[in-house]
Amino acid sequence: MSAEGALLEVSGLKVYFPVEKGIIVRKRVGWVRAVDGVDFQVSRGESLGLVGESGCGKSTTAMAVARLEALTAGKVLFEGRDLAALNPTELRRARKDFQLVFQDPWSSLDPRMRVRDIIAEPMQIFARRGELDLDGAAIEARVASLMESCGLSKSFAERYPHEFSGGQRQRVGIARALALGPKLIIADEPVSALDVSIQSQILNLLKDLQRQFNLTFLFIAHDLAVVEYFCDRIAVMYLGRIVEIASSSQLNHMPLHPYTRALLSAVPLPDPAKERSRKRLILKGDVPSPSIERAGCPFRERCSEAMERCAHEAPRLSPPAPGGSGPAGPGHEVSCFLYQGN
Ligand code: SF4
């Protein structure tokens, strides 16, 4: 049953990729566990950020939610319907309601198409199939309106992607994502390829559009400062699992998991005095390979607070035990024995 108000519910999501060996006869010798049992919900109008280092599984989670990556296990409920159970026609229709904004606006736009055609194309495809009630004039008007909403002058309609800056190209990508009137936007590192000065403009645009079109966001980024600014809640991922989830302010002021604390300690502070005096938590080593099956806590090799128990038992994502290290807000969950009592 769908949780009240939840637009998207993901439960037990696993995405494994086979590791094969052999030149003539390929044989599977293992799995890369890119996403290894992820659960979260996103309410209507909310923005949930997935954050973590490269290879933590955040983008694969986003692709699996959009059904652009096959699920090994788990469910993705969108408005209560399991996307994994839809046939190709049903899935194509459902895609009208969830659209993607990609990291690299340059490679996500066809360089041979003019901006007006790039934005109009999804509407034309759905209109041709009788799944969208818009004629040519109405599509033209909607293209103009979307360009205006995304801060693009109507005079740009006849231009090609190479005539734009990176920020303008991302605006075109966003206008295209909005063309079919989606309810959910899956934004995969939407500002990480842009100059810092442009990042805030695009983030503010996305916030304005969220209010204007009542959008829900699944927002993927490796930069905790960006996610904190944009999102209502944040899920921190490590080795294909969520290790902590909380409201943005709770995570910022009361991070619990040692990995979250280390990530936050690397975010620059605007106050130079505070920045100089604060202590950085440096993580040991690299993220271990997701192709090795491991017992215990997936973070234990890099954790400065690991205990004996962490080597053979895996902590569950759960609210911190009362009386632990400070008050946790509602919905704050962490996957660490430091907060789970005995
Ligand atoms: Fe560190 Fe143990 Fe907590 Fe894992 S469970 S984060 S190893 S203290």
Side-chain angles (χ1 to χ4, degrees):
M1 179 106 101
S2 184
E4 206 181 323
L7 182 71
L8 178 70
E9 289 174 79
V10 174
S11 57
L13 180 68
K14 292 186 181 180
V15 183
Y16 290 2
F17 299 105
V19 180
E20 295 182 337
K21 272 197 177 156
I23 296 168
I24 298 169
V25 180
R26 304 285 293 166
K27 203 173 149 203
R28 183 172 57 72
V29 293
W31 296 99
V32 172
R33 295 164 176 79
V35 180
D36 201 11
V38 159
D39 304 275
F40 62 83
Q41 298 178 350
V42 193
S43 302
R44 286 174 200 278
E46 186 188 34
S47 43
L48 174 72
L50 293 184
V51 71
E53 291 167 289
S54 296
C56 70
K58 55 191 189 303
S59 288
T60 310
T61 301
M63 293 303 114
V65 167
R67 283 289 315 274
L68 295 174
E69 205 62 81
L71 276 62
T72 306
K75 280 190 175 172
V76 176
L77 300 186
F78 184 82
E79 296 190 310
R81 286 174 89 198
D82 187 0
L83 295 184
L86 301 184
N87 66 36
T89 308
E90 291 169 331
L91 181 60
R92 196 193 63 227
R93 287 188 187 137
R95 283 220 163 97
K96 204 152 75 79
D97 289 333
F98 54 91
Q99 293 286 312
L100 285 112
V101 173
F102 294 99
Q103 174 180 3
D104 183 358
W106 179 238
S107 58
S108 61
L109 303 177
D110 188 335
R112 297 159 303 180
M113 290 173 77
R114 291 173 305 172
V115 162
R116 62 137 38 99
D117 299 323
I118 289 172
I119 300 170
E121 190 184 37
M123 293 182 275
Q124 289 163 342
I125 291 171
F126 273 75
R128 268 201 299 276
R129 291 189 187 128
E131 292 165 4
L132 188 71
D133 190 18
L134 290 180
D135 60 16
I139 290 175
E140 196 73 13
R142 183 155 170 78
V143 168
S145 150
L146 285 168
M147 287 184 69
E148 193 184 343
S149 294
C150 292
L152 293 162
S153 160
K154 272 187 257 176
S155 64
F156 292 168
E158 303 303 320
R159 294 194 190 173
Y160 291 88
H162 73 269
E163 297 177 76
F164 292 100
S165 67
Q168 286 171 325
R169 277 197 291 270
Q170 193 57 297
R171 288 174 190 268
V172 175
I174 293 166
R176 181 185 163 99
L178 295 177
L180 295 169
K183 296 170 183 165
L184 172 71
I185 294 287
I186 301 169
D188 187 8
E189 302 267 13
V191 297
S192 57
L194 305 174
D195 291 345
V196 175
S197 57
I198 308 297
Q199 287 187 2
S200 56
Q201 291 176 19
I202 297 297
L203 289 173
N204 288 333
L205 170 68
L206 290 173
K207 274 188 176 246
D208 289 346
L209 294 170
Q210 182 174 27
R211 278 189 289 271
Q212 193 180 340
F213 297 107
N214 192 27
L215 296 169
T216 302
F217 274 89
L218 181 60
F219 191 98
I220 319 300
H222 64 275
D223 185 338
L224 202 42
V226 165
V227 178
E228 236 182 272
Y229 173 72
F230 187 79
C231 296
D232 302 309
R233 283 189 306 136
I234 300 175
V236 180
M237 287 190 72
Y238 186 80
L239 263 192
R241 301 175 200 186
I242 292 177
V243 296
E244 184 163 7
I245 186 164
S247 69
S248 291
S249 69
Q250 183 75 21
L251 201 88
N252 187 28
H253 294 111
M254 183 59 67
L256 297 179
H257 198 281
Y259 180 58
T260 312
R261 285 190 255 135
L263 287 184
L264 270 169
S265 81
V267 175
L269 297 174
D271 181 339
K274 283 188 182 161
E275 174 66 24
R276 268 194 302 276
S277 63
R278 68 116 160 240
K279 196 175 160 230
R280 283 255 159 89
L281 303 173
I282 309 292
L283 287 174
K284 300 183 279 185
D286 296 317
V287 181
S289 167
S291 61
I292 299 167
E293 194 162 12
R294 58 194 62 246
C297 173
F299 188 60
R300 70 180 188 282
E301 287 108 331
R302 304 175 79 193
C303 181
S304 58
E305 296 171 67
M307 308 165 263
E308 205 259 320
R309 181 184 185 187
C310 309
H312 48 81
E313 227 183 300
R316 281 175 301 105
L317 187 66
S318 55
S325 313
H332 195 158
E333 295 188 333
V334 61
S335 168
C336 176
F337 291 129
L338 293 172
Y339 310 97
Q340 289 184 0
N342 293 317

